[in-house]
Amino acid sequence: MLRDYQERFVNKISHKLASGRRRIVAQLATGVGKTVCFSAIANRYKGNVLILVHRRELLRQTQKTLLKLYGINAGII
């Protein structure tokens, strides 16, 4: 379950994507749940979703979050 501010964040990005925008930059402060938010966005868009992270610990965190919250078994490329 997303917190109120996370839900607003995810909805804003989802609306932008639905309106045809493909280049979106978004930011959240440290510790407010960016992994949870982009996992929720990935879950809304069934099919192939590419998530890029720059640290191995973020890769593991992302995989665990996707599996735990949405049952998505993410592969690593």
Side-chain angles (χ1 to χ4, degrees), residues 25-50:
V25 175
Q27 69 179 33
L28 289 172
T30 301
V32 296
K34 288 180 285 293
T35 303
V36 172
C37 288
F38 69 70
S39 295
I41 293 166
N43 185 55
R44 289 184 185 191
Y45 294 91
K46 305 298 184 199
N48 294 327
V49 176
L50 176 65

Side-chain angles (χ1 to χ4, degrees), residues 28 33 65 68:
L28 289 172
T65 301
K68 180 180 174 186

Side-chain angles (χ1 to χ4, degrees), residues 9-57:
F9 180 81
V10 169
N11 286 337
K12 283 182 181 181
I13 292 178
S14 295
H15 289 302
K16 299 239 186 236
L17 289 169
S19 71
R21 296 202 44 199
R22 293 293 175 236
R23 295 178 182 171
I24 300 169
V25 175
Q27 69 179 33
L28 289 172
T30 301
V32 296
K34 288 180 285 293
T35 303
V36 172
C37 288
F38 69 70
S39 295
I41 293 166
N43 185 55
R44 289 184 185 191
Y45 294 91
K46 305 298 184 199
N48 294 327
V49 176
L50 176 65
I51 300 170
L52 302 172
V53 296
H54 68 289
R55 301 260 186 231
R56 288 178 195 223
E57 59 267 18

